[in-house]
């Protein structure tokens, strides 16, 4: 039983054939434009720009924020390396603060103590499709004149107080990697919620040229005007993604069914204190991206991973905290101790989850978790 199964949901093959028939396989073709329009409609963002990865979208955000050597960016250590790399590539310093024990998101109560005269931005990560405390974080940013990037790589179709993740900060970044809820194989998007970033985002995405203005008839030729890179996805990725967008409601229903079954069958173990289940605050509407359990000890986590591997079940741990990584020690710093980050990372196990995962498979995984939790 693999950890994830990337599956077509509808018109993927037909749209791939159509894209090939259009004889436009490079970026910003008709399928890319349709995906951008879908994202703008569904998230309410001012401008959505499809990229070849969420990593690319975050790198664009760092450039749009004009991060420079010596600037500081506050973020959790419990995240994927792309969150930190986006800052480091501009010469900025990630400043790690601890996470909350309930949602495993950045602890908003620790952010202000980490702000210095060098702080330029806060990078917020929405772990497992459960939102961080965005009202509090945006209020902090407003008080101190900071930018906010939402790393909503895991957040597609999730909401905070009714607002789609990625649409609340100045910028948002989402992922369509094959492990996500809706997929393009590889892919992502930058969500631009602040009007002042729109024109420059097009330039950065088009290798530092004003090609978009040229295509819109706003200039008579295009040329190199800024830094940038090649952040456009292929039309083939966009074609696959559009078919996924069209079936997102069905995909989400299937994922929620699997998530809820895990939550229900494992609840007795949580009540007995034998493991911890995910916490979803009332203000959050999660997207069933990840189902994880936190085992009561490191030894129990090791045993669970050993036995799931022996049984052919794709259960996996998650992030090795970035502050303990070689590059983290070199390029970043932490603001105070990070006990929740270190403890949660050492005990967390993600369980298989995809749209179409059968009930009996979920029950088999849960039974193995129960055996380990009970010492059988």
């Amino acid at each position: 039983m693999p950890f994830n199964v990337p599956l077509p949901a509808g018109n993927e093959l037909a749209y791939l054939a159509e894209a090939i028939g259009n004889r436009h396989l490079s970026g910003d073709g008709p399928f890319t434009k349709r995906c951008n329009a879908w994202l703008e409609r569904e998230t309410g963002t001012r401008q959505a720009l499809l990229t070849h990865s969420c990593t690319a979208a975050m790198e664009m955000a760092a450039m749009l924020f004009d991060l420079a050597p010596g600037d500081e960016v506050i973020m959790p250590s419990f995240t994927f390396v792309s969150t930190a790399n986006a800052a480091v590539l501009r010469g900025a310093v990630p400043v790690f603060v601890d996470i909350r024990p309930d949602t495993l998101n950045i602890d908003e109560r620790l952010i202000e103590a980490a702000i210095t005269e060098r702080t330029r931005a806060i990078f917020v990560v929405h772990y497992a499709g459960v939102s961080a405390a965005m009202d509090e974080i945006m209020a902090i940013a407003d008080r101190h004149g900071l930018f906010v990037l939402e790393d909503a790589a895991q957040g597609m179709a999730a909401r905070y107080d009714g607002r789609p993740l990625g649409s609340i900060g100045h910028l948002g970044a989402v992922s369509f990697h094959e492990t996500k809820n809706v997929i393009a194989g590889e892919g992502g998007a930058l969500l631009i919620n602040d009007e002042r970033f729109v024109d420059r985002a097009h330039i950065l995405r088009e290798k530092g040229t004003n090609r978009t203005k040229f295509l819109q008839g706003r200039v008579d030729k295009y040329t190199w005007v800024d830094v940038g890179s090649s952040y456009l996805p292929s039309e083939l990725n966009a074609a696959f993604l559009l078919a996924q967008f069209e079936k997102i409601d069905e995909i989400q229903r299937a994922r929620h069914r699997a998530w809820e079954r895990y939550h229900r069958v494992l609840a007795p173990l949580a009540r007995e204190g034998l493991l911890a289940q995910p916490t979803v605050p009332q203000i959050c509407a999660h997207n069933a991206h990840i189902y994880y359990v936190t085992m009561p000890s490191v030894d129990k986590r090791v045993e669970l991973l050993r036995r799931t591997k022996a049984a052919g079940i794709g259960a996996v741990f998650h992030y090795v905290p970035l502050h303990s990584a070689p590059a983290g020690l070199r390029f970043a710093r932490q603001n105070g101790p990070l006990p929740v980050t270190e403890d949660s990372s050492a005990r967390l196990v993600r369980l298989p989850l995809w749209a179409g995962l059968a009930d009996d498979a979920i029950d088999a995984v849960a039974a193995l978790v129960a055996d380990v939790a009970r010492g059988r």
Side-chain angles (χ1 to χ4, degrees), residues 72-77 93-97 106 114 119 332-335:
E72 295 181 346
V73 180
I74 297 170
M75 66 181 71
S77 172
V93 178
V95 176
F96 299 127
V97 300
I106 190 169
T119 307
R333 68 175 179 84
Q334 63 188 78
N335 192 73

Side-chain angles (χ1 to χ4, degrees), residues 33-61:
K33 290 178 170 61
R34 288 167 70 182
C35 285
N36 289 343
W38 187 94
L39 283 165
E40 290 162 8
R41 183 174 65 252
E42 293 298 315
T43 68
T45 189
R46 291 179 181 272
Q47 177 87 73
L49 294 176
L50 221 59
T51 57
H52 58 67
S53 65
C54 184
T55 299
M58 288 192 285
E59 290 176 8
M60 287 179 63

Side-chain angles (χ1 to χ4, degrees), residues 344-367:
S344 298
S345 172
R347 296 188 292 117
L348 184 145
V349 177
R350 293 180 292 158
L351 305 179
L353 176 60
W354 66 85
L357 181 61
D359 288 351
D360 59 352
I362 293 170
D363 293 346
V365 175

Side-chain angles (χ1 to χ4, degrees), residues 10 24 26-27 29 34 40 82 101 109 152 158 187 194 203 243 259 296 298 312 328 343:
H24 184 149
S26 59
R34 288 167 70 182
E40 290 162 8
S82 295
R109 299 166 299 179
D194 188 319
I203 291 169
W259 194 100
V298 176
D343 180 58

Side-chain angles (χ1 to χ4, degrees), residues 58-224:
M58 288 192 285
E59 290 176 8
M60 287 179 63
M63 286 191 278
L64 289 168
F65 290 163
D66 281 324
L67 295 184
D71 288 343
E72 295 181 346
V73 180
I74 297 170
M75 66 181 71
S77 172
F78 189 69
T79 184
F80 190 57
V81 65
S82 295
T83 316
N85 266 336
V88 171
L89 284 167
R90 311 315 307 164
V93 178
V95 176
F96 299 127
V97 300
D98 210 1
I99 55 176
R100 292 169 45 149
D102 54 355
T103 62
L104 307 188
N105 289 322
I106 190 169
D107 191 332
E108 66 280 4
R109 299 166 299 179
L110 303 177
I111 291 174
E112 280 194 289
I115 294 173
T116 72
E117 68 278 1
R118 293 181 175 271
T119 307
R120 291 277 294 165
I122 305 168
F123 285 6
V124 178
V125 179
H126 301 304
Y127 184 68
V130 176
S131 180
M134 288 306 298
D135 285 340
E136 292 86 346
I137 291 168
M138 294 305 295
I140 293 168
D142 288 343
R143 282 198 297 273
H144 295 274
L146 305 177
F147 295 119
V148 175
L149 167 66
E150 291 180 76
D151 177 351
Q154 302 173 10
M156 193 69 226
R159 292 177 179 266
Y160 173 79
D161 197 20
R163 292 166 285 176
L165 301 193
S167 72
I168 305 167
H170 298 90
L171 298 171
V174 294
S175 175
F176 307 117
H177 185 271
E178 72 166 31
T179 58
K180 301 304 188 290
N181 291 31
V182 290
I183 63 175
E186 294 278 1
L190 180 69
L191 305 183
I192 306 169
N193 308 313
D194 188 319
E195 183 68 33
R196 65 186 137 165
F197 295 124
V198 171
D199 280 348
R200 190 171 182 226
H202 283 278
I203 291 169
L204 300 182
R205 184 169 170 265
E206 280 282 12
K207 302 95 174 165
T209 73
N210 57 353
R211 182 172 181 269
T212 297
K213 287 185 177 180
F214 170 71
L215 294 175
Q216 294 171 343
R218 297 163 64 189
V219 295
D220 60 1
K221 60 182 179 295
Y222 75 89
T223 187
W224 182 23

